[in-house]
Amino acid sequence: MEDQLIPDPELTHTNESRKPAGEKILQLLPAAVYTCDKHGRITFFNEQAAKLWGYRPPLNDDNVRYCAYTKIKLADGKEISPAETPMATTLAYGRSFRDVEVLVEAANERKFYISISVDPILDENGNVDGGICFFQDISRHMQTQLELSESEIRYRTLIEKLEVPLYTTDKNGTITLYNNAAVDLWGREPETGIEKWSGAYKLFYVDRTELAKEDCPHAVCLRESKPIRDTEILVMRPDGSIRHVAPYPQPTVDERGNLTGAVNLLLDLTAMKKAEVALRESEQKYRRLAASLERKVAEKSRDLVAKNLELQESEERYHKMVEDVEDYAIILMDENGIIRNWNKGAEKIKGYTESEMIGKSFETFYTDKDRANRVPESLLAKAKDTGKAISEGWRKRKDGSLFWASILITALRRFDGELIGFTKVTRDLTDKKIADDKLMEYSSRLEFQNRELEQFAYAASHDMKEPLRKIHLYHSYISENKNNILDDKSKDYLLRSINAVKRMNTLIEDLLSYSRITSDNDGVVDVDLNQILDEIRDEHTLDTDHQVTSIDRTDLPVIKAIPFQCKQLFDNLVENAIKYRDPTRPSHIRVTAEIVEGGSLAGLVSRNNSRFHKISVEDNGLGFDQKYSEKIFEVFQRLSSTNKAQGSGIGLAICRKIVQHHGGFITASGKIGEGARFDIYFPTDR
C-alpha cells in the first residue's frame, strides 16, 4: 500500500506516451474519473480519483471492485458495501445515476462527502461491458447548505418571537413566512408558497374603497425595489372587523444587490385612530361651545353699544349672564386692557376675587416670558385690527400654578366704530393639553420602536454570528492540521484567538438571551422546581475539569412560571457556583425552599400582606465581599480578576431579569473564602 500511495515519476512518464487519447483527456479533467469492466474491476482512474481515494489501487484486481473506498454511507446514514454502490447497480442493470451524495472515508482516514454520477459502457451489441464514474468532493457545499439551514431556522425563530406583526415574501410576492402577531392582525393563516402580497382577507384604502392586493404597499415595494413609508391602509378580517394599519415594507437583497424579496412590518393603529377621532369630536364640541359663546358675547356687546339709553339695564343683564357661567372666565376690559368686570368663572379658573382684579391689567395672567415678548399687547392689537384674537398658551393662576388656556378677545366698538373696550373669554383646557401631549409622546415612542425594529430586521438578516463561525472554522483547521508547522508562540496566539472567538460567541448568545426576556406572560404554566433542579444536577455533577460537584436540595415548590426561563435561572446560578469554586475543597451546592411573609422583608417589598416562595442557592466557593452584592447583578460585571473561570458577565444579570419578569426579586450575600448565597423570592399569588 505504501508503494501505491507514492506515484513512480519514471513509470508515469514512460506510460504517458502509450496512453490512448481518451485516457489523456480524462486525466486533464478537474473531476475524479475511473472505469470498471463488467466484473467491477477497476481498469482506469485519473489523478483526481487517486487524490480523493488517498491511494492508487491496483488495476484489474478482483480484490478491489466497483470502487476504491471501503467505507461508504448514504445520505440517510446507512453504510453500504462496494457491491451495493451505484457502479455495481449500473453494471448489473445498465442504469445510470446522477449526483448521488454519499459520505466516504479515504485511505488516509479523512471523511468527506462526494457526489457520484455513473453511466454504463455498452459494447457493439448494446450489452453492458463496463461502467464509468465521475465523482467530486462536495464537503464545502454540504457545510454551506448546513449553515444556510441553521441560519434559516434562527431567522424564523427570531421572527416568531416578535410581538409586532411581520411577514416576508419572495421577489414574486409569494408569502414565505409570518409570525403569530400577523395571524392575530389578519384573523387568519395564509398558505405559504401560494398566497401573494398580503395575508389579509381583504384590503381597503383609508377612504373604504377596495385595494387590490397586487397594488398594496408590499407589491409596490417589490415592483419599485424601494421601502414604502407614510402609508396607511385598512385590513378586513374574515369576521368583517376592520383594523387600521401602517405597513412598512422593506426590500431584501443578496450580497450582489439583487432583489430577493421583502419583509413587511405592520403597525396596528386602530386604538390610536379611535383616540384621535374621540379627541377631534371633543375638540369640535368645545370649539362649537366657544363659538356659540363668542356669538352671544358679541351680540350682547353690540346691544350694549346700540342701546345707549338702556346701557345700565343692558349691563346688568350682561353681568347677570356672565356671572352665572363658571366654566368660562369672562371679563370686560377697557381699550388699554384694564379689567372692568369679573365673573365667577374667572375667579374659579384664575383664583383671584373680583375685588383683587378690578382696575388691574389683564397682563397679570401671563408668564414672565410672554410679558417680555409682549404677547398681551400683540393680542389686543390683533383684536383691534381684525375684530378678534384667538390664542392658546400657558397662563398663571394666583397661586403661581400654570394652566393651559384657550382665549378669545373681541373688540367692542360704538356704532361710529370707536373702540370702547374688549371682552375676553377664557377656558381651562389643561386636561385636553395633557391628553394631546400624551398622544404626541405615544407617537414618538411608536416611531422610536419602529426605528429599532428596522435595525433589528437589518441585524437579523446579516446574521451576526456567521463571521465568528467562519473565523473559528478556519482557525481550528489551522490548529488541528498536522501538516502546519507553527512555533510555540504562534500556537499560543492561535489558541488565544480561538478562545476569543468562543468567548465572543458566548457573549452574543448571552446578550440574545438577555434581550429575549420580555414582560409578557405568554407560556406561564405550573413548573415543578424539583424536576428543574434534578435535570441540572444530572448535567453538572461532573464538571468540565472532572472535579466532582455535589448538588442537593430540599423539597421545592411548584410555581407559576415560564419553564425554559426557570431552567436558565437555576442553571446560571449552579454554573456560577461551579465557576467560582474553591480549588482547595470539593464543591458543594445546596438548594432550599421556604414560605416567607412580605412583612418580614422590610425594604424589599411594598406589600406587607404578600407571601413569597424563598428559594436559596448556597455554595462553599470563593465567595465575595458583601459590598458588591448589588454590583454582581449588573451586565458585564465580574468581581474576580484572578479566577480562571470564563464567562461573559451577563449570567447574573439574566437571573435578575428573569426573576423580575416573574414578579419577584433576587438578593445575594457572600463572604470571601466561605461561599455565596442567592435568595430568590417568587410571589405565591402569581
Side-chain angles (χ1 to χ4, degrees), residues 496-524:
R496 292 187 186 187
S497 178
I498 293 173
N499 291 335
V501 171
K502 291 180 179 178
R503 289 196 301 272
M504 187 61 187
N505 189 67
T506 301
L507 175 60
I508 292 174
E509 290 287 354
D510 287 346
L511 285 172
L512 288 174
S513 297
Y514 188 81
S515 66
R516 291 189 190 111
I517 302 172
T518 61
S519 58
D520 65 87
N521 290 320
D522 292 341
V524 173

Side-chain angles (χ1 to χ4, degrees), residues 469-532:
R469 185 179 297 105
K470 290 294 186 183
I471 295 172
H472 185 270
L473 175 66
Y474 298 150
H475 282 47
S476 298
Y477 175 79
I478 297 172
S479 174
E480 297 169 5
N481 192 332
K482 297 180 180 179
N483 294 326
N484 291 330
I485 300 176
L486 302 174
D487 56 45
D488 291 340
K489 188 172 184 180
S490 298
K491 290 179 180 178
D492 179 59
Y493 284 166
L494 184 60
L495 182 60
R496 292 187 186 187
S497 178
I498 293 173
N499 291 335
V501 171
K502 291 180 179 178
R503 289 196 301 272
M504 187 61 187
N505 189 67
T506 301
L507 175 60
I508 292 174
E509 290 287 354
D510 287 346
L511 285 172
L512 288 174
S513 297
Y514 188 81
S515 66
R516 291 189 190 111
I517 302 172
T518 61
S519 58
D520 65 87
N521 290 320
D522 292 341
V524 173
V525 296
D526 289 331
V527 177
D528 187 349
L529 297 184
N530 296 292
Q531 182 179 352
I532 295 288

Side-chain angles (χ1 to χ4, degrees), residues 109-239:
E109 298 184 350
R110 186 171 77 93
K111 295 179 180 180
F112 54 98
Y113 284 94
I114 62 172
S115 174
I116 299 174
S117 296
V118 184
D119 286 299
I121 299 173
L122 306 179
D123 60 18
E124 62 274 9
N125 297 320
N127 298 317
V128 176
D129 192 41
I132 181 169
C133 177
F134 295 80
F135 63 104
Q136 58 184 345
D137 186 347
I138 60 169
S139 296
R140 180 170 296 181
H141 169 73
M142 295 295 288
Q143 179 65 25
T144 301
Q145 290 296 109
L146 178 62
E147 291 172 358
L148 287 174
S149 176
E150 292 175 349
S151 179
E152 175 71 13
I153 292 173
R154 287 195 304 275
Y155 174 67
R156 290 177 177 269
T157 302
L158 286 171
I159 288 181
E160 279 297 329
K161 294 291 184 182
L162 282 177
E163 297 179 6
V164 178
L166 186 142
Y167 70 97
T168 63
T169 68
D170 61 19
K171 64 182 180 181
N172 298 316
T174 305
I175 296 175
T176 56
L177 180 64
Y178 54 84
N179 62 5
N180 291 330
V183 173
D184 292 340
L185 177 66
W186 293 328
R188 62 184 295 271
E189 293 191 36
E191 294 187 61
T192 56
I194 298 177
E195 297 191 37
K196 301 181 72 173
W197 315 121
S198 172
Y201 176 63
K202 285 186 178 180
L203 297 176
F204 297 88
Y205 294 103
V206 292
D207 62 0
R208 300 289 176 136
T209 58
E210 189 165 355
L211 170 62
K213 289 187 178 180
E214 57 268 22
D215 295 326
C216 71
H218 194 98
V220 175
C221 167
L222 287 172
R223 278 200 301 270
E224 299 181 2
S225 297
K226 69 178 183 180
I228 303 299
R229 298 291 182 267
D230 302 324
T231 300
E232 296 179 10
I233 60 174
L234 300 181
V235 172
M236 176 181 281
R237 293 170 167 170
D239 61 5

Side-chain angles (χ1 to χ4, degrees), residues 458-471:
Y458 179 82
S461 67
H462 288 77
D463 195 358
M464 294 185 295
K465 293 168 60 180
E466 183 62 18
L468 287 176
R469 185 179 297 105
K470 290 294 186 183
I471 295 172

Side-chain angles (χ1 to χ4, degrees), residues 330-349:
I330 304 174
I331 63 176
L332 183 65
M333 304 179 295
D334 65 16
E335 64 270 24
N336 297 314
I338 303 301
I339 298 171
R340 299 303 181 191
N341 183 269
W342 190 260
N343 77 331
K344 293 179 181 178
E347 182 175 345
K348 178 181 177 181
I349 293 174

Side-chain angles (χ1 to χ4, degrees), residues 528-536 553 556 567:
D528 187 349
L529 297 184
N530 296 292
Q531 182 179 352
I532 295 288
L533 261 296
D534 290 343
E535 291 176 2
I536 294 174
R553 62 168 177 81
L556 303 178
K567 175 72 180 295

Side-chain angles (χ1 to χ4, degrees), residues 297-308:
V297 172
E299 291 170 1
K300 192 64 179 178
S301 298
R302 285 194 296 270
D303 288 341
L304 289 172
V305 174
K307 299 179 180 179
N308 289 326

